[in-house]
């Protein structure tokens, strides 16, 4: 993959999507693995035949897309089911995200991966890693408000993800997202300028 790839990550409710939107406003291509997963598991999505074969017809909703609520409950309760789901989805997500990174026309590409720190494969593909960070209490309140789920369910999700400390330790750059959108926009604009300078230095060094 010849494109310069910046990995964007953060725990649930940290504001990864908002940060990605800020980068997109600067003309940067966003390759979002969550969006790719939704694309693959939509009605007639490329992953649905294998998922239905593995988990049965009850894995789909009436419109033929993956029943995400049912699958979420299943994989949290059964690690073996999670492994079966990931064995189908992850290779397809990696292949499609690789291709879209290669095809990106912007100076660099943002590869948004929620579990980037947990996944050695994605980390190896990134030239830099940006972590979107905020206090855990803020993550919990955001997810409860957004998804309409209880605190215990949010904490169960957080328990499956890297800790805040682990994510910060892996990051080259950090976006603090405990303020308003204007503040986040300003931080992203500064990082965007930094990456353009870095790319310019790399180009000069390879001339």
């Amino acid at each position: 993959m010849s494109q310069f790839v910046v990995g964007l990550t953060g725990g649930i409710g940290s504001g990864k999507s908002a940060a990605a939107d800020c980068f997109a406003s600067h003309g940067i291509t966003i390759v979002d693995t969550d969006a790719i997963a939704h694309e693959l598991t939509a009605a007639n999505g490329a992953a649905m035949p294998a998922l239905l074969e593995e988990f049965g017809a009850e894995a789909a909703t009436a419109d033929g897309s993956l029943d995400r609520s049912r699958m979420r409950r299943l994989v949290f309760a059964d690690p073996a089911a999670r492994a079966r789901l990931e064995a189908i989805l992850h290779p397809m997500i990696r292949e499609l995200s690789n291709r879209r990174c290669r095809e990106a026309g912007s100076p660099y590409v943002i590869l948004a991966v929620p579990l980037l720190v947990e996944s050695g494969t994605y980390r190896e593909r990134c030239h830099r890693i940006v972590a979107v960070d905020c206090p855990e209490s803020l993550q919990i309140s955001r997810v409860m408000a957004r998804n309409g789920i209880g605190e215990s369910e949010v904490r169960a999700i957080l328990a499956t993800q890297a800790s805040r400390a682990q994510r910060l330790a892996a990051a080259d750059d950090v976006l603090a997202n405990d303020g308003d959108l204007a503040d986040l926009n300003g931080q992203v604009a500064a990082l965007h300028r930094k990456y353009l300078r870095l790319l310019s230095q790399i180009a000069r060094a390879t001339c």
Side-chain angles (χ1 to χ4, degrees):
M1 192 170 12
S2 59
Q3 179 65 280
F4 190 90
V5 178
V6 176
L8 178 69
T9 193
I12 187 170
S14 62
K16 295 181 302 297
S17 295
D21 288 345
C22 293
F23 278 106
S25 72
H26 293 280
I28 299 303
T29 298
I30 310 297
V31 177
D32 186 329
T33 57
D34 263 0
I36 290 173
H38 277 74
E39 180 182 326
L40 292 170
T41 56
N44 301 314
M48 287 309 297
L51 290 171
L52 292 174
E53 183 176 345
E54 181 68 35
F55 293 101
E58 63 272 17
T61 61
D63 70 356
S65 62
L66 184 68
D67 188 333
R68 292 184 180 87
S69 296
R70 181 187 182 93
M71 192 58 63
R72 190 183 304 116
R73 290 193 298 271
L74 176 63
V75 300
F76 275 125
D78 183 356
R82 174 188 290 272
R84 287 155 54 208
L85 175 68
E86 291 177 348
I88 293 169
L89 277 181
H90 283 193
M92 300 177 79
I93 294 169
R94 280 195 297 271
E95 181 183 355
L96 197 48
S97 62
N98 262 338
R99 186 164 81 236
R100 291 183 179 173
C101 284
R102 285 195 303 269
E103 294 170 350
S106 53
Y108 60 93
V109 59
I110 292 289
L111 177 61
V113 186
L115 301 182
L116 188 150
V117 171
E118 296 87 335
S119 167
T121 304
Y122 283 106
R123 288 179 70 176
E124 292 164 4
R125 292 161 56 192
C126 298
H127 297 86
R128 291 189 74 82
I129 294 174
V130 183
V132 185
D133 179 59
C134 70
E136 187 176 280
S137 58
L138 187 52
Q139 289 179 257
I140 292 169
S141 62
R142 283 173 177 165
V143 177
M144 288 174 64
R146 181 186 71 195
N147 295 13
I149 59 179
E151 181 177 343
S152 60
E153 190 171 349
V154 182
R155 289 191 178 278
I157 296 170
L158 286 171
T160 69
Q161 300 184 347
S163 69
R164 185 182 185 188
Q166 289 170 323
R167 203 173 288 111
L168 291 174
D172 299 295
D173 302 293
V174 177
L175 292 168
N177 191 27
D178 53 0
D180 59 18
L181 186 57
D183 180 52
L184 182 62
N185 261 311
Q187 293 181 68
V188 169
L191 270 188
H192 176 64
R193 292 191 296 271
K194 176 179 178 177
Y195 295 150
L196 292 181
R197 287 195 303 271
L198 179 59
L199 286 167
S200 178
Q201 291 166 4
I202 292 170
R204 285 199 302 271
T206 56
C207 285

